[in-house]
Amino acid sequence: MQLVLATRNKDKIREIKHLLEDLPITILIFSDFLDFPEIDETGETLEENAILKAKGIATFTGFAALADDSGLEVDALGGAPGVYSSRFAGPGCTYDDNNRKLLQDLQGIPEDRRAAHFRTVIAIAWNAGEIETVEGRVDGIIKTQKIGQSGFGYDPVFYYPPAKKTFAEMSLAEKNSLSHRGKALMKARDLLITHFNLMKDSGKQDTSI
Ligand code: IMP
């Protein structure tokens, strides 16, 4: 049982490995392969991009592959920045540039119309043709200014009402326990358990008939 992670992002690799560490699955990463390909994110939705990456890496390696794509979707902006979250303020922009543009675009909009959510789609390509997807989502509100120092991306402007703080005011463990990515990863874990016929609690292969 082998699974390739279709990403070069070391933080994502660490988080996914941690969540799957009790399962008897060998996790392979980009550095285990020669010429691991860069898959262009040319899709128009998070789903399309996650599938493109998982399928591309499964085809290249011949192993099952897992890929994710995430974005911030703001109701008052018709779901933008969405799939363009990392390049919202233009090519080569920084997280700060994106947050500045987001706050500008929402200028004058009152708090009750600043609803937004983060969404992660994870695709697992069992092979080049057989693909399943799962989704994780967390709802919040876009603040009128940045608050907090932790995290990355839109974390300082994303306020999570149940915790009464922004994602940038949370520890990594707290954020992972309720985030879009954390939720999607738990669902992906369930897909792997079912597909590879693993027992949930022991981490052993289920040999029952
Ligand atoms: P990716 O698909 O995980 O690389 O995410 C794409 C972009 O969405 C990132 O560059 C961030 O701008 C934004 N994003 C995704 N997840 C988060 C998060 O947990 N906090 C803040 N921003 C995020």
Side-chain angles (χ1 to χ4, degrees):
M1 282 172 282
Q2 281 139 323
L3 178 73
V4 193
L5 305 185
T7 181
R8 288 175 185 270
N9 181 322
K10 297 217 167 89
D11 293 322
K12 284 187 187 176
I13 291 172
R14 200 176 317 114
E15 190 182 337
I16 298 168
K17 276 189 163 177
H18 175 69
L19 212 92
L20 303 180
E21 69 187 355
D22 62 321
L23 301 181
I25 296 174
T26 304
I27 305 286
L28 302 170
I29 64 168
F30 65 94
S31 52
D32 292 316
F33 299 89
L34 278 180
D35 302 326
F36 195 77
E38 199 69 59
I39 311 287
D40 288 335
E41 300 190 4
T42 53
E44 288 179 4
T45 63
L46 300 176
E47 286 80 1
E48 278 176 29
N49 279 340
I51 289 171
L52 270 176
K53 289 185 278 186
K55 191 174 171 178
I57 297 302
T59 305
F60 174 79
T61 62
F63 295 113
L66 180 152
D68 77 316
D69 205 32
S70 303
L72 175 72
E73 297 176 330
V74 181
D75 291 3
L77 301 179
V83 74
Y84 305 107
S85 291
S86 60
R87 45 203 151 121
F88 189 39
C93 62
T94 63
Y95 291 144
D96 256 354
D97 296 334
N98 284 336
N99 281 321
R100 210 172 301 118
K101 173 167 170 50
L102 180 62
L103 295 182
Q104 258 164 23
D105 288 359
L106 290 176
Q107 213 164 19
I109 297 185
E111 180 148 322
D112 63 352
R113 287 201 286 119
R114 297 174 77 97
H117 56 267
F118 279 118
R119 206 159 64 84
T120 293
V121 176
I122 292 182
I124 302 183
W126 304 113
N127 51 54
E130 214 186 326
I131 299 159
E132 288 186 85
T133 59
V134 289
E135 177 182 311
R137 169 182 167 140
V138 61
D139 289 274
I141 289 163
I142 303 302
K143 282 296 209 185
T144 53
Q145 59 182 43
K146 295 197 295 172
I147 305 170
Q149 305 296 326
S150 315
F152 70 98
Y154 298 96
D155 282 348
V157 296
F158 187 83
Y159 180 79
Y160 182 64
K164 297 190 170 63
K165 50 189 168 183
T166 66
F167 269 10
E169 294 177 286
M170 293 184 182
S171 68
L172 187 59
E174 183 179 9
K175 182 185 159 189
N176 285 346
S177 73
L178 52 85
S179 77
H180 48 309
R181 198 172 297 100
K183 288 177 186 167
L185 277 172
M186 288 308 289
K187 291 185 188 172
R189 185 186 148 90
D190 286 343
L191 278 188
L192 290 165
I193 288 171
T194 304
H195 184 84
F196 287 127
N197 190 26
L198 309 171
M199 276 163 43
K200 281 191 191 215
D201 41 10
S202 70
K204 301 255 161 49
Q205 207 170 340
D206 185 356
T207 52
S208 61
I209 47 173

